[in-house]
Amino acid sequence: LHRFNKNYNDAENCFKKSITLEYKNPEARNNLGNFYSAINRNGDAIKSYIDAINVDPNFAPAHFNLGLMYKKIGDSKKSINHLNIAIKLKPLFLRAHRALSDIINYKKNSDHFKVLKKIYMETKLNKLPNVDLLFALGKAYEDIEDFDKAFLFYQEGNEAYRKNINFSIEK
């Protein structure tokens, strides 16, 4: 919320003006939805994300954000639907995979679990471990009660996360 400097009306008006300037741009509507989400106007956020999708049904970020919003208000079915759409549109949308993993209760042969493992093998070959992917796999292995593998993925995820933290004890 601090990013809007508590000038909520000004911020909202700027987002709305960007929509009028670029009426066919789904990103402007998605950004308005993000603003509403940040100030807990969930209904307005959902409407903005739906508006973005109506402008461009293939705009994956709006499906992702709508999936997160439905998750936030407890509508798992709609959340899963929109997260799956975001993933279908952008198969390597790893934040969407992680959000989906929070909702799914994995079984050993779950389709999404297979997808996560495949992506992991591909990214491992390229030496590009992704925090979202690692935590999603940790959660999946936890669900199937393979706690040793779950721990290893959570540990690898935490190590990858820490590499992104720029901390200096001197500063």
Side-chain angles (χ1 to χ4, degrees):
L1 293 177
H2 65 279
R3 67 180 181 229
F4 303 117
N5 296 322
K6 296 187 181 181
N7 294 321
Y8 300 135
N9 289 335
D10 291 343
E12 181 178 16
N13 289 334
C14 287
F15 286 119
K16 286 181 175 180
K17 184 172 183 172
S18 70
I19 291 169
T20 61
L21 294 173
E22 292 192 58
Y23 190 75
K24 291 291 184 183
N25 181 350
E27 194 166 343
R29 288 166 167 69
N30 187 63
N31 290 341
L32 179 60
N34 290 340
F35 166 73
Y36 287 139
S37 176
I39 61 171
N40 292 314
R41 286 176 53 185
N42 299 337
D44 290 328
I46 289 170
K47 182 186 178 316
S48 294
Y49 297 137
I50 291 171
D51 287 347
I53 292 166
N54 287 336
V55 168
D56 182 357
N58 296 319
F59 188 63
H63 285 285
F64 170 71
N65 289 323
L66 186 56
L68 291 182
M69 186 55 57
Y70 282 131
K71 178 181 166 191
K72 180 178 179 181
I73 65 170
D75 192 333
S76 296
K77 185 176 179 180
K78 286 182 181 177
S79 178
I80 289 169
N81 179 54
H82 284 282
L83 292 170
N84 275 322
I85 292 170
I87 290 167
K88 182 178 179 184
L89 293 169
K90 289 180 72 176
L92 293 178
F93 196 159
L94 299 178
R95 288 183 60 212
H97 284 286
R98 181 176 180 185
L100 184 59
S101 77
D102 289 339
I103 302 168
I104 291 176
N105 186 9
Y106 291 94
K107 306 291 183 222
K108 285 185 181 181
N109 292 321
S110 296
D111 289 338
H112 190 244
F113 191 17
K114 293 174 189 174
V115 169
L116 291 174
K117 290 189 279 189
K118 181 178 184 270
I119 294 171
Y120 177 75
M121 293 309 294
E122 291 169 358
T123 58
K124 187 124 177 120
L125 291 173
N126 297 326
K127 296 180 175 58
L128 296 171
N130 178 281
V131 172
D132 291 317
L133 176 62
L134 295 167
F135 284 129
L137 278 163
K139 198 286 191 169
Y141 278 107
E142 185 177 346
D143 283 355
I144 66 166
E145 298 183 2
D146 188 337
F147 300 115
D148 290 336
K149 281 189 180 175
F151 178 81
L152 291 174
F153 278 104
Y154 285 139
Q155 183 178 35
E156 188 177 348
N158 282 319
E159 288 169 4
Y161 179 76
R162 276 193 289 277
K163 287 179 183 175
N164 294 324
I165 299 173
N166 187 12
F167 176 78
S168 167
I169 198 150
E170 289 82 29
K171 289 181 182 179

